[in-house]
Amino acid sequence: MTRVWKWNRPVTVREVLEDLQQERSIAYTTVMTVLDNLHQKGWVRREAEGRAYRYEAVSTRAAYAAALMNDAWSQSDNPAAALVAFFGMMSAEQREALRDAVRMVQGPETPAGQNPPQGPADESPAAPEGDDGR
């Protein structure tokens, strides 16, 4: 998957093979089998191009990592304890990234003492005192 994500476009077995061969010796059939397995598992889609296929990731690397974390967390018999243990393993940089992510999900904060807008009803001007609308 790392090689497929790396290019961020549909890739052939040959392209992945040539990239991997820069680091180690590997057979064409091995790469083909792995990409076929990833297709069978639904992690990549493929489209025929002549006698070969082009493979493309179904989701981003971030979405894949999030799904793995969610799966692991949901299998815990004590999700809160699992989170505490996970947070304890994080570096300071990872904890800061977590704080940033929580802020992004929560949206903008309202300054203390102010009520957030409630929608269109709050936007209409109030009628002057003594004016009953007639």
Side-chain angles (χ1 to χ4, degrees):
M1 283 304 301
T2 299
R3 304 301 167 143
V4 176
W5 284 318
K6 175 182 170 182
W7 283 302
N8 197 29
R9 65 169 173 77
V11 296
T12 64
V13 171
R14 175 79 47 207
E15 289 173 315
V16 175
L17 174 71
E18 289 172 359
D19 191 41
L20 287 169
Q21 285 180 334
Q22 292 177 17
E23 298 172 12
R24 62 188 167 115
S25 178
I26 189 167
Y28 181 93
T29 54
T30 302
V31 176
M32 184 175 63
T33 299
V34 169
L35 284 169
D36 185 59
N37 288 342
L38 291 171
H39 176 256
Q40 297 299 323
K41 292 179 179 182
W43 295 353
V44 297
R45 67 176 70 86
R46 68 183 181 193
E47 187 172 319
E49 184 177 279
R51 293 180 2 152
Y53 287 108
R54 284 205 170 268
Y55 294 86
E56 182 176 22
V58 170
S59 67
T60 65
R61 182 180 220 144
Y64 175 72
L68 288 176
M69 289 186 286
N70 186 57
D71 185 48
W73 185 46
S74 67
Q75 292 182 29
S76 173
D77 60 346
N78 187 342
L83 280 176
V84 169
F86 179 62
F87 297 157
M89 294 177 200
M90 296 173 115
S91 68
E93 293 81 19
Q94 290 171 322
R95 286 191 298 275
E96 185 58 35
L98 176 62
R99 283 190 280 278
D100 290 343
V102 169
R103 281 191 290 270
M104 288 171 51
V105 169
Q106 289 177 337
E109 294 182 21
T110 303
Q114 293 183 4
N115 292 326
Q118 299 297 316
D122 282 355
E123 295 171 9
S124 60
E129 275 194 48
D131 184 357
D132 61 2
R134 290 187 223 159

